[in-house]
Amino acid sequence: MDRRILITASLLGAIAVMLGAFGAHGLKNLVDAGSIEIWAKGVEYQFYHAFALLFLSQFKGKETGQGKLINMAYSFFTFGVLLFSGSLYLLATRSITNIGFVNYIGPVTPIGGLLLILGWVSLLLAALKSK
């Protein structure tokens, strides 16, 4: 078990629950339905990758090169969630936050998505190296 990955997974999962509840109850009267959908998509992907990290924390193999791939997957998943879900949260709330740079944050979302994909590829490669 990798304690660092387990802690990150736990934090991302707990935050996803809080953000999901906030989106369902706190935002519904503040933003339009389209923004709620964007928010929900951010929560959904944050949950998926909290579970992926939870699995990753239990990965036992430490064969040559495998530990490096697990650490890469951890980094890709973590930063991918921050960029992908984080940018969706900002985009969903731009009408109430009035943060100026949010209008230009759209390209950050696919970069976060690419990091999430790279995390899955790293996990695949680590699994292929296991015996």
Side-chain angles (χ1 to χ4, degrees), residues 16-100:
V17 172
M18 290 184 271
L19 291 174
F22 178 69
H25 303 290
L27 283 180
K28 69 180 177 183
N29 295 324
L30 299 174
V31 298
D32 61 30
S35 294
I36 294 293
E37 286 181 35
I38 292 169
W39 184 275
K41 189 57 68 179
V43 171
E44 180 182 346
Y45 275 78
Q46 183 170 335
F47 263 126
Y48 292 152
H49 292 88
F51 288 128
L53 285 167
L54 186 62
F55 171 77
L56 194 64
S57 74
Q58 301 305 308
F59 215 90
K60 301 281 187 214
K62 295 292 182 190
E63 290 94 20
T64 306
Q66 198 176 29
K68 181 179 177 184
L69 288 165
I70 291 169
N71 285 331
M72 288 172 57
Y74 166 73
S75 295
F76 286 141
F77 284 150
T78 302
F79 290 110
V81 166
L82 292 174
L83 293 178
F84 184 84
S85 294
S87 65
L88 290 181
Y89 299 143
L90 289 173
L91 288 169
T93 58
R94 67 181 156 201
S95 66
I96 57 174
T97 59
N98 295 318
I99 300 172

Side-chain angles (χ1 to χ4, degrees), residues 59 63 65-66 69-70 121-130:
F59 215 90
E63 290 94 20
Q66 198 176 29
L69 288 165
I70 291 169
V121 170
S122 298
L123 179 56
L124 170 66
L125 294 173
L128 290 172
K129 284 188 174 242
S130 69

